[in-house]
Amino acid sequence: MNNSIVVIPTYNEIENVEAIIRKVFSLTQPFHVLIIDDGSPDGTAAIVKGLMKEYEGSLHLVERKGKLGLGTAYIHGFKWAMERGYEYIFEMDADFSHPPEDLIRLHHACAVEGHDVAIGSRYITGVNVVNWPINRVLMSYFAGYYVRMITGMQIMDPTAGFICYTSKVLKTINLDNIRFIGYAFQIEMKFNSWKYGFDIVEVPIIFTDRTKGASKMSKGIFKEAILGVITLKVNSFFKRYIPHGSAQK
């Protein structure tokens, strides 16, 4: 059985979903794909169902009723993958902002180099962002600085959404206690991975803003991240984290 699966949440991604699925399956490294669709009214799920015949056993679909949030989609996907014994579980956007070919590098970082979490990082080697307006680049970059200042974890791209988690990380983190759904979800997952002492590495990628479909970013998501970081830090004072195995903070 293939031990690597890419979890891709979708909502109205009919312009991108077939292309991203075919791209992942064209890679030299084999991956399975799990689409978590939140009731897209544009027919995204129907496209995936059609492709499942072509990629039988490798392409999977979970349909949820309504737009329930990015974080809950990933948690649903993580649990689905762990129940089926996948060892390397990836998260990636459907819009090609995360280069699918870099899945191979993230997999190598965990499967060969032995890291527990590999982050596709926009900022570990400078600012590697294409087609974003300067104000959004600055907002994202300084959000990372803010997260590092408040939490103490030295991750250059804490809001990144292109990641490989090993199953032992997801089994250690209590996914039912993850409370945030947007950017703060990404921060919360990395914060818990760090607090449990897992080995986290940042792999440089070039992030390119979507060219098709609409962005799901909102002021509410950004506000959640700002306030959520403080909540994470305060709550951590009242929680005991037992480092996993020989991993160190």
Side-chain angles (χ1 to χ4, degrees):
M1 171 185 163
N2 192 319
N3 66 356
S4 302
I5 190 164
V6 185
V7 181
I8 305 177
T10 57
Y11 183 78
N12 285 348
E13 291 289 357
I14 196 168
E15 295 178 276
N16 293 306
V17 70
E18 179 171 356
I20 196 72
I21 288 170
R22 291 193 181 279
K23 180 62 178 178
V24 172
F25 285 127
S26 75
L27 299 174
T28 55
Q29 173 79 32
F31 297 93
H32 285 186
V33 174
L34 170 62
I35 302 294
I36 308 289
D37 188 70
D38 271 7
S40 298
D42 69 350
T44 297
I47 297 294
V48 179
K49 288 176 183 176
L51 291 170
M52 287 174 70
K53 300 173 184 177
E54 181 176 348
Y55 299 109
E56 186 175 358
S58 299
L59 175 60
H60 309 278
L61 171 68
V62 171
E63 294 183 85
R64 304 198 303 169
K65 296 181 179 180
K67 194 174 181 182
L68 303 176
L70 182 72
T72 65
Y74 275 129
I75 288 172
H76 191 112
F78 293 162
K79 290 180 176 180
W80 188 100
M82 286 190 291
E83 287 170 0
R84 288 157 180 83
Y86 288 95
E87 177 63 24
Y88 303 102
I89 302 169
F90 299 76
E91 57 171 85
M92 186 176 76
D93 290 348
D95 61 8
F96 284 91
S97 56
H98 303 141
E101 56 272 17
D102 285 336
L103 287 167
I104 297 173
R105 297 172 61 226
L106 296 182
H107 179 271
H108 186 273
C110 289
V112 178
E113 297 176 4
H115 302 287
D116 300 313
V117 180
I119 300 168
S121 178
R122 296 164 290 186
Y123 305 122
I124 191 63
T125 57
V127 179
N128 295 317
V129 177
V130 178
N131 291 340
W132 260 8
I134 189 63
N135 63 323
R136 190 166 177 186
V137 174
L138 291 173
M139 181 177 69
S140 174
Y141 185 82
F142 284 105
Y145 175 81
Y146 170 76
V147 171
R148 291 190 296 277
M149 180 180 65
I150 298 296
T151 66
M153 64 175 180
Q154 295 305 302
I155 295 175
M156 289 300 296
D157 197 356
T159 62
F162 189 29
I163 305 164
C164 175
Y165 289 103
T166 55
S167 61
K168 65 182 178 181
V169 174
L170 299 180
K171 289 174 182 175
T172 300
I173 295 172
N174 187 341
L175 295 175
D176 291 329
N177 287 341
I178 300 295
R179 55 176 294 188
F180 298 114
I181 61 172
Y183 267 4
F185 164 79
Q186 303 293 3
I187 300 165
E188 187 173 11
M189 287 293 296
K190 296 178 187 70
F191 182 74
N192 276 274
S193 300
W194 174 68
K195 290 293 287 184
Y196 277 111
F198 286 107
D199 182 358
I200 303 171
V201 67
E202 291 186 80
V203 177
I205 67 161
I206 296 176
F207 177 97
T208 304
D209 195 20
R210 67 164 64 233
T211 58
K212 296 180 180 179
S215 171
K216 311 305 189 295
M217 176 58 65
S218 69
K219 290 182 179 178
I221 289 174
F222 186 71
K223 182 179 179 181
E224 179 198 63
I226 295 296
L227 298 178
V229 172
I230 297 173
T231 302
L232 280 177
K233 184 63 175 180
V234 171
N235 288 345
S236 72
F237 295 140
F238 305 97
K239 182 177 179 180
R240 186 183 180 196
Y241 300 85
I242 302 175
H244 182 276
S246 60
Q248 298 179 354
K249 292 182 184 178

